[in-house]
Amino acid sequence: MRHPALARSRRVTEADWDLVAGFHAQCSEQNLLRRWGRTRLTPRDLSRLLAHTQCWIGLGADERPVALACAGPVSREPGVFDLGLQVVDHRQRQGIGTALARQAARLARARGAHTLSAFTQASNAPMLRLLDRLGPTSHTRDGPYVEVRLALDALAPDPETAPP
């Protein structure tokens, strides 16, 4: 994955708890609440997440973590991969989340999924816009939340790799 704000991304393992905790320490309480529904995460949370998803962390040029993305069959619905995505506050709106979401969509499609799903607060306009930019989506409202589904066969081409 290439993005000017990311030096690299790499897979996360349980041994990376300190790196993940350092990432979360850079996020505001509002950012944590929006992504996790709470402001504190534990090594057990990471362990449970890694049991169902593939996670990777995006690192900036200074090797500090700037984003965390996860994709996997969390809902256990055949052919559906769930997306989890978080970018540190000061690096949002730079395209990092979009780049990682594209990476998650490619991973999901390569592993046989036909749909990428994200469950987020209905007020999370940046995440909703990001998902809508990836391709045609459907939105299902559930109180203050919305489930967004992206058909992976209709994934919009990546402008970084699309032929001119």
Side-chain angles (χ1 to χ4, degrees):
M1 181 201 58
R2 293 181 317 195
H3 187 278
L6 292 176
R8 64 189 177 101
S9 67
R10 70 170 182 79
R11 293 267 312 256
V12 173
T13 69
E14 288 189 45
D16 291 316
W17 168 249
D18 289 340
L19 185 64
V20 172
F23 164 73
H24 285 121
Q26 296 181 73
C27 297
S28 66
E29 286 190 3
Q30 180 185 5
N31 188 334
L32 292 169
L33 281 169
R34 187 181 300 151
R35 168 64 183 97
W36 300 99
R38 55 197 155 123
T39 60
R40 185 173 168 275
L41 293 134
T42 66
R44 184 172 179 217
D45 295 323
L46 179 63
S47 182
R48 281 189 280 189
L49 187 63
L50 292 173
H52 299 286
T53 67
Q54 179 176 322
C55 297
W56 56 99
I57 197 152
L59 302 169
D62 59 0
E63 289 293 306
R64 290 185 63 180
V66 296
L68 180 67
C70 305
V74 176
S75 66
R76 296 195 173 98
E77 184 179 343
V80 177
F81 265 44
D82 299 285
L83 171 68
L85 182 63
Q86 187 172 16
V87 177
V88 295
D89 300 49
H90 70 279
R91 300 306 295 266
Q92 291 183 4
R93 300 184 194 272
Q94 296 178 13
I96 296 168
T98 300
L100 289 171
R102 283 187 191 286
Q103 181 177 342
R106 286 191 298 269
L107 168 82
R109 191 166 39 194
R111 293 188 53 202
H114 55 73
T115 301
L116 188 67
S117 174
F119 193 73
T120 189
Q121 293 177 351
S123 62
N124 190 350
M127 181 66 164
L128 297 174
R129 280 192 305 272
L130 178 156
L131 293 164
D132 287 340
R133 279 194 306 269
L134 294 180
T137 58
S138 64
H139 295 228
T140 304
R141 185 81 183 243
D142 183 9
Y145 299 96
V146 63
E147 180 186 28
V148 180
R149 288 182 168 235
L150 169 69
L152 293 174
D153 62 350
L155 190 63
D158 184 349
E160 293 279 322
T161 59

